[in-house]
Amino acid sequence: MKTYDISDVEKALQTQDTAAFLTSGASMRPLLRTHKDIVVIKKAQQPLNVGDVPLYKKTGVDKLILHRIIGIKNDGTYIIRGDNTYHKEFVSQDDVIGVMTAIYRGGKYVDCSVSTGYKIYVKLNRIFYPVRYLWKTKIRATLGKIKRRLKGE
């Protein structure tokens, strides 16, 4: 499969059903590693489901983003967050270009619809989000303060 630059994926999906590109950024770590993993994107068939990973472009912004759906509002707006981020985004169905269907990780093909390992990752990511959030935003900072006080800083 031909690999595209992320900026060309939208154009590629206008003429074909799937396109692959090398990832960049840390918002989907540890699932997707910057400049190491290749994702396969398929034209989105609406509506998407919680757990799906859409590729979207917010109105007025040129940057393409790949984040996971964590909820869906009554009006069909997707509530989205990167696996390694702690803020929600609201994305309309019209902003969605495609959806991740597979990953090439270390040369190995992982089909998101059938891979048991992928499905376990998604469930664990959702279950442990509150713990990761507390660690990142509260506990780690508090431990840092305690450590500085103990050192006399």
Side-chain angles (χ1 to χ4, degrees):
M1 173 175 278
K2 179 180 178 182
T3 303
Y4 292 87
D5 183 89
I6 190 169
S7 61
D8 297 326
V9 170
E10 184 176 15
K11 186 176 179 180
L13 288 174
Q14 292 173 357
T15 60
Q16 57 197 46
D17 289 335
T18 61
F21 67 92
L22 192 64
T23 62
S24 66
S27 65
M28 287 298 288
R29 284 179 45 197
L31 177 67
L32 301 175
R33 302 167 302 169
T34 300
H35 303 296
K36 291 184 178 179
D37 298 321
I38 296 171
V39 295
V40 178
I41 302 295
K42 179 182 177 183
K43 286 182 188 176
Q45 303 295 318
Q46 304 290 349
L48 300 178
N49 300 305
V50 170
D52 287 344
V53 181
L55 179 70
Y56 61 95
K57 181 164 62 171
K58 298 283 280 184
T59 305
V61 179
D62 286 337
K63 184 178 175 183
L64 293 173
I65 303 168
L66 187 70
H67 284 166
R68 187 175 309 283
I69 296 174
I70 59 169
I72 303 171
K73 293 174 66 173
N74 290 337
D75 66 359
T77 300
Y78 299 121
I79 305 167
I80 294 180
R81 178 176 59 227
D83 289 355
N84 192 35
T85 62
Y86 300 95
H87 64 280
K88 297 176 186 173
E89 301 170 75
F90 299 91
V91 177
S92 75
Q93 293 180 359
D94 294 338
D95 291 338
V96 175
I97 296 162
V99 64
M100 182 176 78
T101 58
I103 306 163
Y104 286 94
R105 185 177 179 106
K108 182 180 176 189
Y109 180 79
V110 178
D111 185 326
C112 297
S113 64
V114 298
S115 169
T116 303
Y118 175 77
K119 290 178 181 181
I120 291 170
Y121 166 82
V122 172
K123 289 216 183 284
L124 290 176
N125 182 274
R126 289 192 56 125
I127 290 168
F128 287 107
Y129 172 78
V131 174
R132 291 183 300 117
Y133 177 80
L134 285 173
W135 173 256
K136 178 94 173 188
T137 62
K138 308 286 184 208
I139 297 169
R140 203 162 124 197
T142 302
L143 290 175
K145 289 177 186 177
I146 292 169
K147 182 180 174 182
R148 284 190 294 278
R149 283 189 182 156
L150 290 174
K151 285 185 170 184
E153 294 178 7

